[in-house]
Amino acid sequence: QLQASGGGLAQAGGSLRLSCAASSRSVSTYVMGWFRQAPGKERELLAHITWSTGGTFYADSVKGRFTVSRDNAKNTVYLQMNNLKPEDTAVYYCAADYSIARIQRGIASDWGQGTLVTVSS
């Protein structure tokens, strides 16, 4: 199971850090992804990271502003969000899967409950 936290209200240009705690790690949670969904929009993949190597991927929309990291000892993945913009307002989800290709297609074996991020201008 995944538990996401850290959402809230931020001003444009500000920062927030999201956390996603996994109850356990296994082959089925090889890769952890962060997604978001804004009202009226499709869910968007933002970034992903593998537990084993820490290899990362970023969507162009967040590259240079968001950083994904993991703490293997705590079974927790983070999404550091800097220079936030009003268009970053969305519900943010973490997800886990055994396949990077599936995460890239928005498919995951487990999803967190979502945490709301609101960025005011």
Side-chain angles (χ1 to χ4, degrees):
Q1 288 186 338
L2 304 177
Q3 183 73 33
S5 61
L9 179 63
Q11 291 188 335
S15 299
L16 284 173
R17 189 178 78 157
L18 306 183
S19 299
C20 178
S23 57
S24 64
R25 285 191 289 125
S26 68
V27 293
S28 66
T29 60
Y30 167 71
V31 56
M32 300 289 293
W34 283 102
F35 295 78
R36 70 185 177 192
Q37 187 165 22
K41 296 189 176 182
E42 293 187 354
R43 186 175 57 205
E44 174 189 13
L45 171 65
L46 304 176
H48 61 66
I49 187 168
T50 60
W51 289 111
S52 56
T53 67
T56 58
F57 161 86
Y58 295 96
D60 288 343
S61 58
V62 302
K63 197 174 295 182
R65 298 191 300 125
F66 291 9
T67 302
V68 61
S69 61
R70 93 280 194 217
D71 185 330
N72 287 26
K74 296 182 179 180
N75 286 352
T76 300
V77 173
Y78 304 96
L79 186 68
Q80 178 68 43
M81 306 185 295
N82 298 330
N83 191 22
L84 284 164
K85 305 175 181 181
E87 52 264 42
D88 293 320
T89 295
V91 178
Y92 285 67
Y93 299 90
C94 59
D97 202 77
Y98 59 85
S99 164
I100 291 176
R102 282 163 51 91
I103 284 284
Q104 290 274 0
R105 299 199 306 270
I107 302 169
S109 56
D110 198 10
W111 292 87
Q113 83 282 13
T115 185
L116 177 63
V117 171
T118 304
V119 183
S120 62
S121 58

